[in-house]
Amino acid sequence: MTEDIRITNEGQVPVDVRQALLRDGTDVQTKVGHVAKFNHDGESSKLDENIAVEDFDNYKKPKDNNEFIGLTKEELKAYISNPKWKRIRWLIAILYLLLLVLLLGGAILLVIFSPRCPPKPKLVWYQKEIIYELDVTTFRDSNQDGIGDIKGVQEKLNYLEKNDIKVILLQPSIFNVTAGTSIQLNGQTARATNTDLYTIDPSVGNDNDLKDLLKTLNRKDMRLIIDLPLSSTFDPNGYSWYGSNSSLPSKIN
């Protein structure tokens, strides 16, 4: 910009205005709100004679739409010392502290008045141990006769112990079973079997085999359960299990 820019009746444009502040086609707002465009050829675009253009050193380049311009130091100090904003900041701080106190108090009350957890019940061995149920006749054959036996179970105790098996449940297949009489069941003829719960089936072993199994289990701190189907079998020893005065033995007979 050259030095021969026209002046108004209120002042002269400073001659040391830096050209970097005014580019071709730059809009400059005057004191009274009018806008003029300046060019590098030294000519201004139809500047009104009644417009005062002053203090170009304080000119700010118009900001782009996407450009962020923060507050100046003086503006920040003005907001900090403003009594209105001081009251707002104090109010926010008090509300925050009050919220923290309420949360802390609620947590304490929740701990105090919450119902206590019941003590863990003491379980007996058959409630907490793993029980392994097996059919002796199909488990392991120790004498290679095609039928599993009690000695075969005893041979596999180490394997069961390694797998944390503490209780063995034997199905009633270890007892001696003999053929019984035919009975009428729901209009159909069914062949009843007599299960002698006092006698071990010879095909799976004998009383001594069962006693040896019990001794081995005791040494290993293991337990034995035998399923006795007292109410679902025609037991020839029914009087011994149920008593002679019960109505069930008559049904068994």
Short mmCIF file of all heavy atoms in Angstrom, two decimals, residues 108-141:
data_model
loop_
_atom_site.label_atom_id
_atom_site.label_comp_id
_atom_site.label_asym_id
_atom_site.label_seq_id
_atom_site.Cartn_x
_atom_site.Cartn_y
_atom_site.Cartn_z
N ILE A 108 -21.93 -45.86 53.10
CA ILE A 108 -21.82 -46.31 54.50
C ILE A 108 -23.13 -46.90 54.99
O ILE A 108 -23.16 -47.96 55.63
CB ILE A 108 -21.37 -45.13 55.38
CG1 ILE A 108 -19.95 -44.68 55.00
CG2 ILE A 108 -21.42 -45.52 56.86
CD1 ILE A 108 -19.48 -43.45 55.74
N LEU A 109 -24.24 -46.24 54.67
CA LEU A 109 -25.54 -46.76 55.09
C LEU A 109 -25.85 -48.09 54.42
O LEU A 109 -26.45 -48.99 55.04
CB LEU A 109 -26.64 -45.74 54.76
CG LEU A 109 -26.60 -44.41 55.54
CD1 LEU A 109 -27.68 -43.47 55.04
CD2 LEU A 109 -26.77 -44.67 57.04
N LEU A 110 -25.45 -48.23 53.17
CA LEU A 110 -25.68 -49.49 52.46
C LEU A 110 -24.93 -50.64 53.12
O LEU A 110 -25.44 -51.75 53.26
CB LEU A 110 -25.26 -49.35 51.00
CG LEU A 110 -25.55 -50.54 50.08
CD1 LEU A 110 -27.05 -50.76 49.99
CD2 LEU A 110 -24.95 -50.30 48.70
N VAL A 111 -23.70 -50.36 53.56
CA VAL A 111 -22.91 -51.40 54.23
C VAL A 111 -23.51 -51.75 55.60
O VAL A 111 -23.56 -52.92 56.00
CB VAL A 111 -21.45 -50.94 54.37
CG1 VAL A 111 -20.66 -51.93 55.22
CG2 VAL A 111 -20.80 -50.80 53.00
N ILE A 112 -23.99 -50.73 56.31
CA ILE A 112 -24.50 -50.96 57.67
C ILE A 112 -25.82 -51.72 57.67
O ILE A 112 -26.01 -52.68 58.42
CB ILE A 112 -24.65 -49.61 58.41
CG1 ILE A 112 -23.28 -48.97 58.62
CG2 ILE A 112 -25.36 -49.81 59.74
CD1 ILE A 112 -23.34 -47.59 59.24
N PHE A 113 -26.73 -51.33 56.79
CA PHE A 113 -28.09 -51.88 56.83
C PHE A 113 -28.33 -53.02 55.85
O PHE A 113 -29.43 -53.57 55.82
CB PHE A 113 -29.10 -50.77 56.57
CG PHE A 113 -29.14 -49.72 57.65
CD1 PHE A 113 -28.52 -48.50 57.47
CD2 PHE A 113 -29.77 -49.98 58.86
CE1 PHE A 113 -28.55 -47.53 58.45
CE2 PHE A 113 -29.80 -49.02 59.86
CZ PHE A 113 -29.19 -47.79 59.66
N SER A 114 -27.36 -53.38 55.06
CA SER A 114 -27.55 -54.52 54.15
C SER A 114 -27.59 -55.82 54.95
O SER A 114 -26.88 -55.98 55.95
CB SER A 114 -26.40 -54.58 53.14
OG SER A 114 -26.42 -53.47 52.29
N PRO A 115 -28.45 -56.75 54.55
CA PRO A 115 -28.51 -58.04 55.28
C PRO A 115 -27.21 -58.81 55.16
O PRO A 115 -26.56 -58.80 54.11
CB PRO A 115 -29.68 -58.77 54.60
CG PRO A 115 -29.79 -58.13 53.24
CD PRO A 115 -29.39 -56.70 53.42
N ARG A 116 -26.85 -59.45 56.24
CA ARG A 116 -25.62 -60.22 56.25
C ARG A 116 -25.77 -61.49 55.42
O ARG A 116 -26.85 -62.07 55.33
CB ARG A 116 -25.27 -60.61 57.70
CG ARG A 116 -25.12 -59.42 58.63
CD ARG A 116 -23.84 -58.67 58.38
NE ARG A 116 -23.69 -57.55 59.31
CZ ARG A 116 -22.64 -56.74 59.31
NH1 ARG A 116 -21.68 -56.92 58.43
NH2 ARG A 116 -22.56 -55.74 60.17
N CYS A 117 -24.68 -61.89 54.82
CA CYS A 117 -24.69 -63.16 54.09
C CYS A 117 -24.75 -64.31 55.09
O CYS A 117 -24.05 -64.27 56.11
CB CYS A 117 -23.44 -63.28 53.22
SG CYS A 117 -23.34 -62.07 51.89
N PRO A 118 -25.58 -65.29 54.83
CA PRO A 118 -25.65 -66.42 55.76
C PRO A 118 -24.33 -67.18 55.79
O PRO A 118 -23.62 -67.24 54.79
CB PRO A 118 -26.78 -67.28 55.19
CG PRO A 118 -26.83 -66.93 53.74
CD PRO A 118 -26.45 -65.48 53.66
N PRO A 119 -23.98 -67.73 56.93
CA PRO A 119 -22.72 -68.50 57.00
C PRO A 119 -22.77 -69.72 56.10
O PRO A 119 -23.83 -70.30 55.86
CB PRO A 119 -22.63 -68.89 58.48
CG PRO A 119 -24.04 -68.83 58.98
CD PRO A 119 -24.71 -67.74 58.21
N LYS A 120 -21.65 -70.06 55.58
CA LYS A 120 -21.57 -71.22 54.70
C LYS A 120 -21.91 -72.49 55.48
O LYS A 120 -21.31 -72.77 56.52
CB LYS A 120 -20.17 -71.33 54.11
CG LYS A 120 -20.03 -72.42 53.07
CD LYS A 120 -18.64 -72.41 52.46
CE LYS A 120 -18.50 -73.51 51.41
NZ LYS A 120 -17.14 -73.52 50.82
N PRO A 121 -22.90 -73.25 55.01
CA PRO A 121 -23.28 -74.46 55.76
C PRO A 121 -22.17 -75.50 55.73
O PRO A 121 -21.41 -75.62 54.75
CB PRO A 121 -24.53 -74.94 55.02
CG PRO A 121 -24.38 -74.40 53.64
CD PRO A 121 -23.68 -73.08 53.77
N LYS A 122 -22.10 -76.24 56.80
CA LYS A 122 -21.13 -77.31 56.88
C LYS A 122 -21.71 -78.55 56.21
O LYS A 122 -22.73 -79.10 56.64
CB LYS A 122 -20.78 -77.61 58.35
CG LYS A 122 -19.67 -78.63 58.50
CD LYS A 122 -19.32 -78.82 59.97
CE LYS A 122 -18.19 -79.84 60.12
NZ LYS A 122 -17.82 -80.05 61.54
N LEU A 123 -21.09 -78.99 55.14
CA LEU A 123 -21.59 -80.10 54.34
C LEU A 123 -20.99 -81.42 54.83
O LEU A 123 -19.82 -81.47 55.24
CB LEU A 123 -21.24 -79.90 52.87
CG LEU A 123 -21.74 -78.60 52.22
CD1 LEU A 123 -21.28 -78.51 50.78
CD2 LEU A 123 -23.25 -78.50 52.31
N VAL A 124 -21.81 -82.44 54.77
CA VAL A 124 -21.31 -83.78 55.09
C VAL A 124 -20.67 -84.37 53.85
O VAL A 124 -20.76 -83.83 52.74
CB VAL A 124 -22.47 -84.68 55.60
CG1 VAL A 124 -22.97 -84.17 56.93
CG2 VAL A 124 -23.60 -84.72 54.59
N TRP A 125 -20.04 -85.53 54.00
CA TRP A 125 -19.20 -86.06 52.93
C TRP A 125 -19.99 -86.36 51.66
O TRP A 125 -19.49 -86.14 50.55
CB TRP A 125 -18.47 -87.32 53.42
CG TRP A 125 -19.40 -88.44 53.85
CD1 TRP A 125 -19.88 -88.65 55.10
CD2 TRP A 125 -19.93 -89.47 53.02
NE1 TRP A 125 -20.69 -89.75 55.12
CE2 TRP A 125 -20.74 -90.28 53.86
CE3 TRP A 125 -19.82 -89.80 51.68
CZ2 TRP A 125 -21.42 -91.39 53.37
CZ3 TRP A 125 -20.50 -90.90 51.19
CH2 TRP A 125 -21.29 -91.69 52.04
N TYR A 126 -21.21 -86.87 51.77
CA TYR A 126 -21.97 -87.22 50.56
C TYR A 126 -22.56 -85.99 49.87
O TYR A 126 -23.14 -86.09 48.79
CB TYR A 126 -23.10 -88.20 50.89
CG TYR A 126 -24.06 -87.76 51.95
CD1 TYR A 126 -25.15 -86.95 51.64
CD2 TYR A 126 -23.89 -88.15 53.28
CE1 TYR A 126 -26.03 -86.55 52.61
CE2 TYR A 126 -24.78 -87.75 54.26
CZ TYR A 126 -25.84 -86.94 53.93
OH TYR A 126 -26.72 -86.54 54.90
N GLN A 127 -22.44 -84.79 50.50
CA GLN A 127 -22.90 -83.56 49.87
C GLN A 127 -21.77 -82.81 49.15
O GLN A 127 -22.04 -82.01 48.26
CB GLN A 127 -23.52 -82.63 50.92
CG GLN A 127 -24.81 -83.17 51.51
CD GLN A 127 -25.33 -82.28 52.62
OE1 GLN A 127 -24.56 -81.73 53.42
NE2 GLN A 127 -26.66 -82.13 52.69
N LYS A 128 -20.54 -83.06 49.52
CA LYS A 128 -19.44 -82.29 48.95
C LYS A 128 -18.46 -83.13 48.13
O LYS A 128 -17.66 -82.57 47.38
CB LYS A 128 -18.67 -81.58 50.06
CG LYS A 128 -18.04 -82.51 51.08
CD LYS A 128 -17.35 -81.73 52.19
CE LYS A 128 -16.73 -82.65 53.23
NZ LYS A 128 -16.06 -81.91 54.31
N GLU A 129 -18.52 -84.46 48.26
CA GLU A 129 -17.58 -85.29 47.52
C GLU A 129 -18.17 -85.72 46.18
O GLU A 129 -19.39 -85.73 45.98
CB GLU A 129 -17.21 -86.54 48.34
CG GLU A 129 -16.55 -86.25 49.68
CD GLU A 129 -15.18 -85.62 49.56
OE1 GLU A 129 -14.66 -85.58 48.42
OE2 GLU A 129 -14.64 -85.18 50.57
N ILE A 130 -17.30 -86.07 45.24
CA ILE A 130 -17.72 -86.60 43.95
C ILE A 130 -18.09 -88.07 44.12
O ILE A 130 -17.30 -88.85 44.64
CB ILE A 130 -16.61 -86.45 42.90
CG1 ILE A 130 -16.25 -84.97 42.72
CG2 ILE A 130 -17.03 -87.06 41.57
CD1 ILE A 130 -15.10 -84.74 41.78
N ILE A 131 -19.30 -88.43 43.68
CA ILE A 131 -19.77 -89.81 43.77
C ILE A 131 -19.75 -90.42 42.37
O ILE A 131 -20.39 -89.89 41.45
CB ILE A 131 -21.19 -89.87 44.37
CG1 ILE A 131 -21.18 -89.26 45.78
CG2 ILE A 131 -21.70 -91.31 44.41
CD1 ILE A 131 -22.56 -89.22 46.42
N TYR A 132 -19.04 -91.52 42.24
CA TYR A 132 -18.89 -92.20 40.94
C TYR A 132 -19.73 -93.48 40.96
O TYR A 132 -19.45 -94.41 41.72
CB TYR A 132 -17.42 -92.52 40.69
CG TYR A 132 -17.13 -93.07 39.31
CD1 TYR A 132 -16.96 -92.22 38.22
CD2 TYR A 132 -17.02 -94.44 39.09
CE1 TYR A 132 -16.69 -92.71 36.95
CE2 TYR A 132 -16.75 -94.94 37.83
CZ TYR A 132 -16.60 -94.07 36.77
OH TYR A 132 -16.34 -94.56 35.51
N GLU A 133 -20.77 -93.49 40.12
CA GLU A 133 -21.65 -94.66 40.06
C GLU A 133 -21.18 -95.59 38.93
O GLU A 133 -20.88 -95.12 37.83
CB GLU A 133 -23.09 -94.22 39.81
CG GLU A 133 -24.07 -95.38 39.76
CD GLU A 133 -25.50 -94.93 39.54
OE1 GLU A 133 -25.72 -93.71 39.37
OE2 GLU A 133 -26.41 -95.80 39.53
N LEU A 134 -21.17 -96.89 39.23
CA LEU A 134 -20.73 -97.85 38.20
C LEU A 134 -21.50 -99.16 38.33
O LEU A 134 -21.98 -99.53 39.41
CB LEU A 134 -19.23 -98.08 38.27
CG LEU A 134 -18.64 -98.60 39.59
CD1 LEU A 134 -18.61 -100.11 39.63
CD2 LEU A 134 -17.23 -98.07 39.79
N ASP A 135 -21.60 -99.83 37.21
CA ASP A 135 -22.17 -101.17 37.15
C ASP A 135 -21.01 -102.16 37.11
O ASP A 135 -20.23 -102.18 36.16
CB ASP A 135 -23.05 -101.31 35.91
CG ASP A 135 -23.75 -102.67 35.83
OD1 ASP A 135 -23.53 -103.50 36.75
OD2 ASP A 135 -24.48 -102.90 34.86
N VAL A 136 -20.89 -102.95 38.17
CA VAL A 136 -19.73 -103.85 38.30
C VAL A 136 -19.64 -104.79 37.11
O VAL A 136 -18.55 -105.07 36.60
CB VAL A 136 -19.81 -104.63 39.63
CG1 VAL A 136 -18.68 -105.65 39.72
CG2 VAL A 136 -19.74 -103.67 40.81
N THR A 137 -20.76 -105.28 36.63
CA THR A 137 -20.74 -106.30 35.57
C THR A 137 -20.22 -105.75 34.24
O THR A 137 -19.82 -106.54 33.37
CB THR A 137 -22.15 -106.85 35.36
OG1 THR A 137 -23.04 -105.79 35.00
CG2 THR A 137 -22.66 -107.52 36.64
N THR A 138 -20.20 -104.44 34.07
CA THR A 138 -19.71 -103.85 32.81
C THR A 138 -18.52 -102.92 33.01
O THR A 138 -18.13 -102.22 32.08
CB THR A 138 -20.84 -103.06 32.13
OG1 THR A 138 -21.29 -102.02 33.01
CG2 THR A 138 -22.01 -103.97 31.79
N PHE A 139 -17.93 -102.95 34.23
CA PHE A 139 -16.85 -101.99 34.50
C PHE A 139 -15.48 -102.55 34.11
O PHE A 139 -14.84 -102.05 33.19
CB PHE A 139 -16.88 -101.60 35.99
CG PHE A 139 -15.86 -100.55 36.34
CD1 PHE A 139 -16.00 -99.25 35.88
CD2 PHE A 139 -14.78 -100.85 37.15
CE1 PHE A 139 -15.07 -98.28 36.19
CE2 PHE A 139 -13.85 -99.88 37.49
CZ PHE A 139 -13.99 -98.60 37.01
N ARG A 140 -15.03 -103.57 34.81
CA ARG A 140 -13.73 -104.16 34.48
C ARG A 140 -13.76 -105.65 34.81
O ARG A 140 -14.20 -106.06 35.88
CB ARG A 140 -12.60 -103.47 35.25
CG ARG A 140 -11.20 -104.05 34.94
CD ARG A 140 -10.11 -103.26 35.61
NE ARG A 140 -8.81 -103.85 35.40
CZ ARG A 140 -8.06 -103.69 34.31
NH1 ARG A 140 -8.51 -102.95 33.30
NH2 ARG A 140 -6.88 -104.26 34.20
N ASP A 141 -13.22 -106.43 33.91
CA ASP A 141 -13.17 -107.89 34.05
C ASP A 141 -11.75 -108.30 34.43
O ASP A 141 -10.81 -108.12 33.65
CB ASP A 141 -13.59 -108.55 32.73
CG ASP A 141 -13.60 -110.07 32.82
OD1 ASP A 141 -13.54 -110.59 33.95
OD2 ASP A 141 -13.67 -110.72 31.77
#
